[in-house]
Amino acid sequence: MGAKTNKRITEELLNQLPDDKGHFGPYGGRFVSETLMPSLLELEEKYLSLKDDPTFRKEFDKDMADYVGRPSPLYFAERLTSEVGGAKIYLKREDLNHTGAHKVNNTIGQALLAKYLGKPRVIAETGAGQHGVATATVAARLNLKCKIFMGIEDIRRQTLNVYRMKLLGAEVEAVTSGTQTLKDAMNEALRDWVTNVDDTFYIIGTVAGPHPYPQLVRDFQSIIGREARAQCLEKEGRLPDALVACVGGGSNAIGLFYPFILDEEVEMYGVEAGGHGVETGKHAAPLCAGKPGVLHGNRTYLMSDESGQIQGTHSISAGLDYPGVGPEHSWLKDMERAEYVSVTDDEALAAFRRLTLVEGIMPALESSHAIAYGIKKAATMRKDQIMIINLSGRGDKDIHTVADIDGIKV
Amino acid sequence: MSRLKNVLETLNAQGKKALIPYVTGGDPKPEWTVEIMHTLVEAGADIVELGVPFSDPMADGPVIQLACERALKHNTSIDDIFEMVKSFRETDKQTPVVLMGYLNPLEIKGYENFAIEAAEAGVDGALIVDLPPEEASSLVPFLNENNLDSIFLIAPTTTDDRIKYICDQSSGYVYYVSVKGVTGSATLNVDDVAKKVAQIKAHNQIPVGVGFGISNAESAASVSNVADGVIVGSVIVNIIAKHQENKATINSEIKTLVSSMRHAMDA
């Protein structure tokens, strides 16, 4: 008896989540205004009927192979490992995907759903612009009208991705309300969806939002963990000891973690954006420093003040600059199955430079958070242990941010 | 009988329709809200919808978003809203007050505390925009225990099955959102509204209030021909936005607008 026993995740329990209303324990659910409810119910019904449909699966798998370039390699970072002097560090190379990040796994899946639902228009919110680019990409390919909502603050720090989206034929709308970042882009996308619900499919970029989004985004992204698991078994003959991934909304992390949840010996670390330091209040780390609340359609750990207003966040990386997190992560935290930690802007930046110099791989600033924590953690592990870090995206988009810090005009 | 039910039944007996204006509590400043509420009643309001400001009002258009921002500049909290209702109740014991807002401030306060303190303050019902009845079991029992009505939304997209389900969960009235969109966006089509109201009435005798897209006396009158209540928000909030430095102008302009709606509805 005792809390520990109750927190064991069995296969039976895992298969029941989310429940039929989209709950992961107390988290998740469907907290939206009535106008959207029928669409969400329709999407859920369609998704549940398609997810195990052989034709749908085949189409998804084919796109993953021929368009995205999967499987992405599991790369042994030999020089980094020897410098750190601890666990063997492997990088799951999602940065090598078409469009340069893990986001495309999900946009391909959701665009297929849009096609099956007969919706001619897609919309999406974006922070760093990776999800916006991945959405604009699939929209171009499937000839769908596409509008991307992006906070004006993020447009300023991600000019390259904004231009990429425009080249791909998408309309990019600058969001000027609230804090002018990812959460406000999501508000604006929801407002568009409620207005154009008949012909529009909302491609949510992370494992948050109302049910069934957390489930379907997880399912599409789980290809990361399934591949990593098989690749690790093939290369090392056993499972890894630790997984590390950055967590904003948490889609790359859940993608890596999910296929390992029942492997109790595999430790899982989600790395949130510590900004200037969690103690300063200027961060984006709801799992480390927030409490449960309701935003954007789901109940989850949130950064809100004592009267329930959503707080402004800070992170050097636009993709992590979000006050909430996917509900399944909230559940994994409470179940003590995954541990959530944070690293600061400065630590992430140092990891960005180090991986670039030591391995010749320039990580996205989001992924640099995972690298920073992975390096720290690996140093405390034995040399015969194995760690997989999810290198969720490449860093080209962040060159301007880093150059600014260096005082260089590029 | 709840104050809300009483008012709606009395109006029905008189062959009149309910005029239900909305303002955001604390907009443009918390000290002005109670006087604005009294103005609404003097001008002919039957029920007052008082908005609880929220930082991320996803279902609202720019007019009400900005009202929330103005109210939050003064840190208007749920507790402040309760104080406003208490103060309003010192002189107005009849007019029902319905709180309208988003879930997170209630979640953080605690549902039971919310319901107890709302009832103590003299609130009559709650309409939480991002809380469909499927998720409402954590709140509704506390509302019921404290004799507060639970008002839910019905939308143009709502199916027949859901209409029945939502009506069964609602008390006081149901709020029919007349257009697909956010508050203050498009203009409604009265024929479409009439059809949907008839569809709702086929299931349930609960009164139907219609909101979104009612911006003048004429649209208020035409909606009152087909529904039990007319809910008016953005056009009033716009007056507040325009004259946010001048309390007397806000009150006199609101009085002119709301009275014109009242007269048109009663004509």
Side-chain angles (χ1 to χ4, degrees), chain A residues 326-339:
Chain A
E328 197 161 11
H329 285 294
S330 295
W331 180 72
L332 289 172
K333 174 188 161 76
D334 284 7
M335 295 298 279
E336 296 173 10
R337 179 61 189 93
E339 193 179 321

Side-chain angles (χ1 to χ4, degrees), chain B residues 2 30 51 83 87 91 98 106 119 121 161 166 170 214 224 253 257:
Chain B
S2 78
E83 287 307 313
S87 160
T91 49
V98 171
L106 279 65
D161 284 352
I166 294 168
S170 304
I214 298 161
S224 78
E253 297 241 333
L257 174 77

Side-chain angles (χ1 to χ4, degrees), chain A residues 84-321:
Chain A
V84 172
K88 290 178 86 168
I89 299 172
Y90 281 90
L91 303 176
K92 180 61 175 161
R93 297 290 309 273
E94 292 299 301
D95 61 318
L96 295 178
N97 291 342
H98 179 45
T99 73
H102 72 292
K103 292 291 187 189
V104 73
N105 303 328
N106 167 48
T107 58
I108 293 227
Q110 290 199 47
L112 272 180
L113 286 174
K115 196 174 92 176
Y116 276 75
L117 283 162
K119 307 271 182 181
R121 177 176 181 265
V122 294
I123 55 169
E125 84 293 338
T126 196
Q130 290 303 101
H131 175 58
V133 167
T135 302
T137 299
V138 296
R141 182 167 168 247
L142 294 177
N143 194 23
L144 302 168
K145 271 182 79 179
C146 178
K147 187 168 184 176
I148 306 294
F149 294 89
M150 190 168 183
I152 200 159
E153 166 73 13
D154 292 335
I155 286 180
R156 188 190 58 73
R157 51 182 170 176
Q158 301 288 352
T159 46
L160 193 62
N161 270 346
V162 173
Y163 188 53
R164 282 170 84 190
M165 289 184 266
K166 288 182 178 164
L167 287 174
L168 288 160
E171 184 188 343
V172 180
E173 180 160 318
V175 175
T176 55
S177 59
T179 57
Q180 309 181 340
T181 57
L182 182 53
K183 88 171 164 74
D184 310 286
M186 197 152 179
N187 289 339
E188 221 50 58
L190 284 163
R191 289 178 185 126
D192 180 292
W193 197 29
V194 91
T195 309
N196 301 295
V197 65
D198 292 332
D199 73 344
T200 297
F201 188 102
Y202 181 12
I203 299 187
I204 293 185
T206 191
V207 284
H211 180 60
Y213 283 100
Q215 178 184 7
L216 65 87
V217 177
R218 175 199 74 194
D219 291 350
F220 292 137
Q221 291 293 2
S222 292
I223 195 167
I224 301 171
R226 284 200 305 277
E227 284 177 7
R229 200 173 183 281
Q231 289 165 322
C232 190
L233 286 171
E234 193 196 310
K235 285 177 198 285
E236 293 283 347
R238 68 180 185 86
L239 293 176
D241 298 281
L243 306 174
V244 181
C246 65
V247 178
S251 69
N252 89 80
I254 213 80
L256 178 64
F257 293 174
Y258 189 70
F260 290 94
I261 288 178
L262 296 173
D263 302 313
E264 289 179 8
E265 69 276 23
V266 181
E267 294 180 350
M268 310 195 298
Y269 298 93
V271 187
E272 295 193 302
H276 295 321
V278 165
E279 68 290 346
T280 65
K282 290 190 177 357
H283 60 85
L287 289 164
C288 293
K291 53 182 181 289
V294 174
L295 180 70
H296 292 154
N298 63 121
R299 176 177 287 120
T300 192
Y301 278 84
L302 267 188
M303 290 172 54
S304 65
D305 66 16
E306 70 286 348
S307 58
Q309 308 302 337
I310 307 305
Q311 287 172 315
T313 50
H314 168 79
S315 170
I316 191 173
S317 105
L320 301 182
D321 210 349

Side-chain angles (χ1 to χ4, degrees), chain B residues 49-231:
Chain B
E49 274 189 4
L50 187 59
V52 180
F54 182 51
S55 53
D56 293 78
M58 290 152 288
D60 285 299
V63 171
I64 291 175
Q65 287 173 49
L66 290 171
C68 285
E69 284 179 21
R70 288 190 295 271
L72 290 175
K73 219 178 272 167
H74 302 280
N75 296 315
T76 308
S77 66
I78 291 194
D79 293 340
D80 298 326
I81 299 287
F82 291 155
E83 287 307 313
M84 292 169 197
V85 178
K86 250 181 227 169
S87 160
F88 173 77
R89 281 276 170 257
E90 284 169 13
T91 49
D92 189 326
K93 311 236 184 277
Q94 301 86 46
T95 311
V97 175
V98 171
L99 298 190
M100 183 167 183
Y102 292 80
L103 190 60
N104 198 53
L106 279 65
E107 173 109 354
I108 298 300
K109 180 158 194 70
Y111 296 117
E112 185 169 18
N113 288 340
F114 168 80
I116 291 170
E117 291 173 35
E120 276 171 8
V123 171
D124 298 282
L127 194 181
I128 308 302
V129 179
D130 56 349
L131 184 71
E134 282 88 343
E135 292 287 354
S137 60
S138 49
L139 173 65
V140 169
F142 295 121
L143 296 181
N144 289 343
E145 268 171 41
N146 290 282
N147 298 314
L148 297 167
D149 283 310
S150 317
I151 293 135
F152 289 105
L153 300 172
I154 292 177
T157 50
T158 307
T159 55
D160 219 31
D161 284 352
R162 285 188 63 75
I163 288 177
K164 185 171 179 332
Y165 170 65
I166 294 168
C167 287
D168 287 347
Q169 310 298 313
S170 304
S171 59
Y173 57 97
V174 292
Y175 184 136
Y176 177 59
V177 174
S178 68
V179 289
K180 289 173 211 154
V182 292
T183 50
S185 50
T187 6
L188 56 78
N189 177 317
V190 179
D191 291 340
D192 291 347
V193 172
K195 266 184 229 152
K196 200 75 179 187
V197 172
Q199 199 186 343
I200 298 168
K201 291 281 183 189
H203 289 294
N204 204 300
Q205 283 313 301
I206 189 163
V208 180
V210 173
F212 284 43
I214 298 161
S215 56
N216 51 33
E218 194 191 352
S219 48
S222 52
V223 168
S224 78
N225 288 330
V226 300
D228 303 297
V230 177
I231 303 161

